[in-house]
Amino acid sequence: MKTKKQIYKEIKRKRIVGPIIFFILMMAVVGVGVYFSVKYFVSYTLDNKMTTEYENAENMAEIYDAGGEGRDAFKLLDKFGRSFFVVDQSGKVVLQKGENTSGTEAKKVELKIFDSEEYATVYTDTELNVLDVDKDNKLTLNYKKFAKYLESEEYESKHIHVRIGDEDLEIENLEEEYDDYVDIPIWISFSVKNGQETLFVQGMLHISEKDLLAFVIIVITITVIALITMVLLLTRAIAGIHRQKKTINFFFTDTVTGGRNWMYFILRGEQLLCRGKNKNSKYAVVSLDLKKYRNYCLCHSVAEGEKLLRNVHDLLSTEVDKKSELFAHGESSNFALILRCDDEDRLKMRLYELIRKLEKLDNDHRFNFQAGVSVLDIITNDKGRIVRRKSVNLDEEYNKALSARESLAESDESGVVIFGDKLVEEERWLDQVQEHQEKALNMEEFEVYYQPKYDPRSKELRGAEALIRWQSPELGFVSPGRFIPIFEKNGFITNIDHYMISHVAADQKRWMDDGLKCVPVSVNVSRAHFAEEDLAEQIRDMIDKAGTPHNLIEIELTESAFFDDKKAMVNTINKLKEYGFAVSMDDFGSGYSSLNSLKDMPLDVLKLDAEFFRGDESDGRGRIVVSEAIKLAQSLNMRTVAEGVEIKEQVDFLASEGCDMIQGYYFAKPMPKNDYRNRMETGRAVEATEDKKTEKPVNDGVDKTEEPVNDSANKTEEATDETVKDTE
Ligand code: C2E
Ligand code: CA
Ligand code: CA
């Protein structure tokens, strides 16, 4: 599968690289074409001119050969009006007219005479040094020198500039007053007097007005064609780039806000973070979400919702630094941001500040926003020097920010969470629990513990609560506080409830058959379970299957469960009661007020939350509340159970207030079923020793560190005997 980066690169390459390569190629072709056609034309002209000159010079050589010596020879050759000189074999000049400008620096060429098999030995002129010999031993025109020559005095006035490659060729603007040719001197040598002497004759390559004109026209034509091609190609390339820019803009534009989109965030974000100049900055990847966006759309319209997102976008664009930070709209109501983060606390404050502004986007509404943050630290090498971030996986970083944000998901309130080890730990734990849950159930790794409930006055056993324990071979002993909330979220809790009910029913049945004096055992039923319409029937059937009398099972509902679907709840409670099960309200007094639920729900037992018995004992107000709650329950014909009672004063107080049962460490911790069986046999309360009484209460009312209770090792057990003896 293609990554985002690859898709982007493909789009970019298709539009820009193509035209540019095509342009460069075409320019190279045109350039090479111009160069070779000019070169060919020039050498053709030179060769052509050579022939005439050679013929004239050859005449002179023949005449000199046939003619006399010394002055006669001179007279004869002088008639031709050309410069010449004759040297003997030793190199001594024997005859000369005009200057010898072939000299020693002159280049020698064996030149093939046009249209013949003959070769002429030709020397370039060192004065008007415009001819060169190329690597094929051919005479070529040195454009640069030629242009310079044309520039000299007589041609000074009017020039045509022609540029070939990097060579500047200036040619006279050919008007009437201009001599109708340009002469380029060369020297041609002939062996004369049977090889005794050599005659050098100066020849002139007449480049006439016509030649020059043709030459200039060809150069200009080719140049113009080249220019037109260049312009055409260039406009094509520019249009391509323009189109490309548009495509990329489109590729990066969010259709809802009109701003940047997720692609932009990922691709440009990585560039931003990896930029060398940002290496000294800590950065944070932020996932920001507008809560209840879908609700807003439902109540108003999607168009209104999108308008709201645009407003969020607009506000963000004033808050985010364009040079060193960026943001984009993701899916739905999510925004992704990359912000500078020199200090985590300051960033948190900044985000809260931002959220405060966002909350007030609309006068008629108050919105809530949640942000999750993943911080990217500065990177150092082995020597401790700060180095550039080589690559950042923004998808991964955003995912961290997102999971930090999701830890807030249950609440609708605004908030900011920074991703950290704790969060990773939690996620890993969640993963492990979910991985093992199924097997744990099948392998019966869950154990039922019983926590007795005692009458505070008679100290007699009146009931018990069944509490789950997990002894996992892989995870060790796990307290319910660490897995029940997970199961409640993922729905596995319904299996747990079934498991507990059937196990408790079976235990009760066995104890009953063993002739023990059984008391009702309450089982927790999760709120998630109450969504099922036939819950009461399910419970009844399970208990009937074990053959347990219904009065030995009680169902505990937590207070928060009462908020879901009141009607369905009342219905289930009524059915349960009808089948003969007692129903209790768990955790009464914790969290939200439950007085209202008391009004509507026909419950049998009120369990006062452990929170009532935490905190300052000397506080009279707490006692008043407990006392009134008991009275209220009594008026409603409900029995009361006080949870989490740990000290004797509380037991005495509750006894005096008429509380029916006490479930707390003062009497007993949750214990394995065999220990509970012993308790049933004893029937009487096991009161705590002095050190037990002073043990610090656990704040959340849940004993997370609890070891499986072993009665024989439990001091409370020893105390019992004494208590029992005392009472006897
Ligand atoms: P809960 O139903 O409120 O259970 C009472 C909790 O208080 C138990 O914690 C118990 O060990 C603890 N406790 C009892 N007396 C004292 C005391 O004097 N001091 C202190 N500090 N704590 C005391 P546990 O067993 O850890 O259970 C925690 C919660 O997990 C339970 O709260 C209940 O909500 C849930 N839970 C436990 N077992 C089950 C189960 O089988 N099914 C369901 N659905 N939830 C369960
Ligand atoms: Ca409970
Ligand atoms: Ca409780």
Side-chain angles (χ1 to χ4, degrees):
M1 215 181 73
K2 280 179 193 160
T3 63
K4 296 181 194 76
K5 230 180 232 165
Q6 285 166 332
I7 297 172
Y8 173 58
K9 271 193 183 154
E10 224 163 69
I11 289 184
K12 219 168 131 183
R13 207 183 307 125
K14 253 186 218 157
R15 306 278 169 188
I16 282 190
V17 181
I20 286 178
I21 290 180
F22 185 66
F23 177 73
I24 292 171
L25 268 175
M26 286 312 288
M27 284 327 294
V29 169
V30 169
V32 169
V34 169
Y35 178 76
F36 280 106
S37 40
V38 168
K39 202 176 152 160
Y40 177 77
F41 179 75
V42 170
S43 67
Y44 176 85
T45 316
L46 288 181
D47 279 3
N48 203 352
K49 300 289 164 198
M50 248 328 285
T51 311
T52 353
E53 283 307 284
Y54 178 77
E55 277 163 7
N56 284 335
E58 198 181 30
N59 276 345
M60 282 174 74
E62 276 167 14
I63 288 165
Y64 178 67
D65 246 349
E69 308 274 316
R71 284 207 59 81
D72 300 335
F74 185 85
K75 264 186 202 162
L76 278 170
L77 296 182
D78 189 32
K79 283 210 169 104
F80 284 88
R82 289 171 183 261
S83 295
F84 66 86
F85 61 92
V86 180
V87 291
D88 63 14
Q89 271 175 324
S90 65
K92 203 177 125 218
V93 175
V94 291
L95 214 58
Q96 176 162 9
K97 188 210 163 195
E99 285 206 38
N100 170 8
T101 51
S102 73
T104 43
E105 292 151 49
K107 290 158 203 151
K108 183 178 154 191
V109 171
E110 290 296 324
L111 207 70
K112 190 167 185 291
I113 298 307
F114 208 59
D115 276 348
S116 81
E117 289 305 307
E118 272 176 275
Y119 278 88
T121 310
V122 174
Y123 297 81
T124 59
D125 188 85
T126 53
E127 290 274 283
L128 185 63
N129 190 17
V130 298
L131 290 176
D132 277 343
V133 179
D134 69 10
K135 60 180 188 320
D136 301 328
N137 208 31
K138 280 199 98 182
L139 273 186
T140 60
L141 186 67
N142 186 319
Y143 306 115
K144 229 180 215 165
K145 290 177 190 161
F146 186 54
K148 257 197 198 129
Y149 166 66
L150 292 175
E151 244 174 54
S152 65
E153 295 152 50
E154 50 188 312
Y155 303 102
E156 219 167 32
S157 53
K158 324 154 205 77
H159 290 144
I160 291 169
H161 290 256
V162 177
R163 185 170 253 280
I164 298 168
D166 59 349
E167 294 185 351
D168 205 4
L169 180 59
E170 290 184 25
I171 291 166
E172 178 72 13
N173 188 4
L174 306 156
E175 286 177 24
E176 315 99 64
E177 69 225 71
Y178 166 62
D179 291 21
D180 62 357
Y181 61 83
V182 179
D183 276 339
I184 302 175
I186 48 162
W187 292 83
I188 307 164
S189 73
F190 297 93
S191 176
V192 287
K193 304 280 185 210
N194 294 324
Q196 298 292 305
E197 292 173 356
T198 311
L199 168 69
F200 288 86
V201 180
Q202 194 185 41
M204 285 293 173
L205 300 178
H206 296 284
I207 308 269
S208 69
E209 185 180 322
K210 252 186 11 226
D211 295 331
L212 267 180
L213 195 62
F215 179 66
V216 166
I217 285 171
I218 284 181
V219 169
I220 287 176
T221 314
I222 292 175
T223 311
V224 166
I225 290 172
L227 278 175
I228 290 173
T229 322
M230 205 165 96
V231 167
L232 278 177
L233 291 176
L234 205 66
T235 39
R236 219 192 103 112
I238 289 171
I241 290 168
H242 197 71
R243 245 200 331 271
Q244 158 74 3
K245 259 192 163 171
K246 267 188 163 171
T247 314
I248 286 183
N249 231 344
F250 180 69
F251 185 72
F252 280 150
T253 300
D254 178 56
T255 46
V256 175
T257 61
R260 298 309 195 181
N261 63 6
W262 178 250
M263 270 296 192
Y264 181 85
F265 176 76
I266 292 293
L267 296 169
R268 291 282 192 263
E270 283 180 10
Q271 284 171 4
L272 175 86
L273 293 169
C274 295
R275 223 173 265 163
K277 68 173 185 185
N278 289 335
K279 68 176 181 186
N280 292 318
S281 309
K282 251 167 95 174
Y283 268 95
V285 176
V286 181
S287 165
L288 181 76
D289 185 48
L290 162 62
K291 293 296 286 185
K292 297 201 162 175
Y293 169 66
R294 291 289 155 209
N295 282 6
Y296 183 86
C297 290
L298 280 178
C299 297
H300 298 82
S301 67
V302 174
E304 282 285 306
E306 293 190 342
K307 196 174 142 202
L308 174 63
L309 293 180
R310 272 195 293 283
N311 291 341
V312 173
H313 168 271
D314 292 348
L315 199 141
L316 286 178
S317 58
T318 62
E319 296 288 322
V320 172
D321 180 53
K322 283 185 187 62
K323 283 203 191 99
S324 61
E325 302 177 330
L326 60 83
F327 78 98
H329 175 229
E331 271 175 11
S332 183
S333 55
N334 288 356
F335 285 85
L337 299 89
I338 294 178
L339 302 178
R340 295 279 293 269
C341 166
D342 296 325
D343 179 276
E344 287 181 21
D345 289 334
R346 282 228 298 280
L347 176 78
K348 243 182 155 169
M349 264 159 61
R350 182 181 170 195
L351 285 169
Y352 271 118
E353 190 76 18
L354 174 71
I355 287 176
R356 254 213 309 283
K357 288 182 190 166
L358 288 168
E359 282 173 346
K360 291 183 246 153
L361 264 181
D362 180 353
N363 289 335
D364 304 329
H365 280 91
R366 195 176 163 277
F367 302 106
N368 287 319
F369 287 83
Q370 292 177 343
V373 181
S374 166
V375 176
L376 270 98
D377 275 321
I378 288 165
I379 299 188
T380 51
N381 62 12
D382 307 342
K383 290 172 195 135
R385 275 200 24 218
I386 295 176
V387 290
R388 193 170 68 84
R389 294 179 187 87
K390 281 204 190 71
S391 71
V392 174
N393 190 331
L394 252 188
D395 277 316
E396 296 289 337
E397 292 305 324
Y398 186 79
N399 190 46
K400 287 184 202 163
L402 192 70
S403 53
R405 202 195 76 207
E406 276 175 355
S407 69
L408 290 173
E410 264 177 24
S411 136
D412 288 328
E413 294 302 306
S414 293
V416 178
V417 179
I418 294 185
F419 179 86
D421 295 343
K422 217 179 115 211
L423 218 82
V424 182
E425 238 354 89
E426 273 171 27
E427 286 299 318
R428 210 166 281 151
W429 176 251
L430 179 81
D431 214 57
Q432 282 179 327
V433 168
Q434 310 210 117
E435 195 185 311
H436 292 104
Q437 59 188 31
E438 210 57 65
K439 189 205 116 208
L441 196 75
N442 297 335
M443 303 298 288
E444 304 238 334
E445 288 172 16
F446 297 111
E447 202 180 326
V448 185
Y449 268 46
Y450 291 88
Q451 186 176 31
K453 297 170 190 165
Y454 286 104
D455 181 322
R457 282 172 300 269
S458 67
K459 312 286 194 292
E460 265 174 61
L461 182 70
R462 279 290 165 77
E465 178 176 0
L467 294 158
I468 194 167
R469 294 295 178 265
W470 184 4
Q471 191 67 52
S472 161
E474 294 87 9
L475 308 172
F477 175 78
V478 192
S479 74
R482 296 199 69 199
F483 64 86
I484 291 289
I486 296 176
F487 291 165
E488 275 177 344
K489 253 185 237 166
N490 69 12
F492 194 67
I493 193 72
T494 52
N495 297 331
I496 294 292
D497 287 351
H498 284 157
Y499 182 95
M500 290 296 282
I501 291 169
S502 51
H503 278 71
V504 169
D507 284 349
Q508 288 279 65
K509 169 78 171 120
R510 198 171 333 107
W511 290 327
M512 204 181 73
D513 293 347
D514 289 353
L516 284 162
K517 194 172 162 245
C518 290
V519 287
V521 171
S522 60
V523 187
N524 294 285
V525 174
S526 156
R527 58 186 291 189
H529 222 142
F530 269 77
E532 291 172 24
E533 229 177 88
D534 61 342
L535 177 68
E537 284 77 16
Q538 286 179 34
I539 293 174
R540 182 199 59 197
D541 294 348
M542 269 186 282
I543 289 162
D544 287 348
K545 205 173 149 199
T548 318
H550 292 189
N551 65 347
L552 289 185
I553 304 290
E554 193 178 303
I555 303 299
E556 284 194 22
L557 300 172
T558 53
E559 195 190 328
S560 53
F562 292 85
F563 281 92
D564 285 353
D565 182 348
K566 215 184 229 169
K567 242 173 108 186
M569 190 123 207
V570 174
N571 203 17
T572 304
I573 293 171
N574 278 329
K575 277 198 271 178
L576 284 169
K577 284 175 62 106
E578 204 179 292
Y579 300 143
F581 302 110
V583 185
S584 61
M585 180 192 273
D586 200 0
D587 302 339
F588 176 77
S590 75
Y592 302 95
S593 162
S594 42
L595 286 175
N596 212 23
S597 339
L598 277 185
K599 175 172 74 76
D600 302 316
M601 311 281 169
L603 300 159
D604 304 289
V605 182
L606 191 67
K607 293 190 81 179
L608 299 176
D609 192 69
E611 257 330 286
F612 283 120
F613 311 103
R614 305 282 168 264
D616 196 355
E617 267 312 302
S618 60
D619 179 17
R621 296 174 72 89
R623 291 189 162 216
I624 294 171
V625 175
V626 172
S627 161
E628 292 304 317
I630 294 170
K631 277 186 200 134
L632 176 69
Q634 284 167 346
S635 321
L636 290 169
N637 242 338
M638 293 169 80
R639 275 165 288 139
T640 45
V641 177
E643 282 189 294
V645 175
E646 295 183 347
I647 51 179
K648 189 170 174 359
E649 288 73 28
Q650 291 168 340
V651 179
D652 294 343
F653 166 70
L654 288 161
S656 69
E657 290 302 315
C659 176
D660 298 295
M661 283 168 266
I662 285 181
Q663 178 192 345
Y665 290 176
Y666 178 78
F667 285 117
K669 283 188 169 185
M671 57 188 72
K673 62 179 171 193
N674 287 336
D675 294 342
Y676 173 65
R677 193 194 153 103
N678 293 339
R679 293 275 180 152
M680 268 195 292
E681 277 167 352
T682 315
R684 276 291 183 80
V686 177
E687 285 193 72
T689 53
E690 276 314 304
D691 60 325
K692 188 77 213 170
K693 281 177 213 166
T694 51
E695 193 188 79
K696 278 234 149 30
V698 178
N699 278 344
D700 57 4
V702 172
D703 181 19
K704 291 193 177 107
T705 56
E706 184 197 57
E707 301 280 1
V709 179
N710 182 342
D711 255 14
S712 56
N714 195 340
K715 278 195 173 165
T716 49
E717 184 81 326
E718 289 151 33
T720 323
D721 299 337
E722 278 161 36
T723 328
V724 174
K725 266 180 219 145
D726 281 354
T727 38
E728 273 165 4

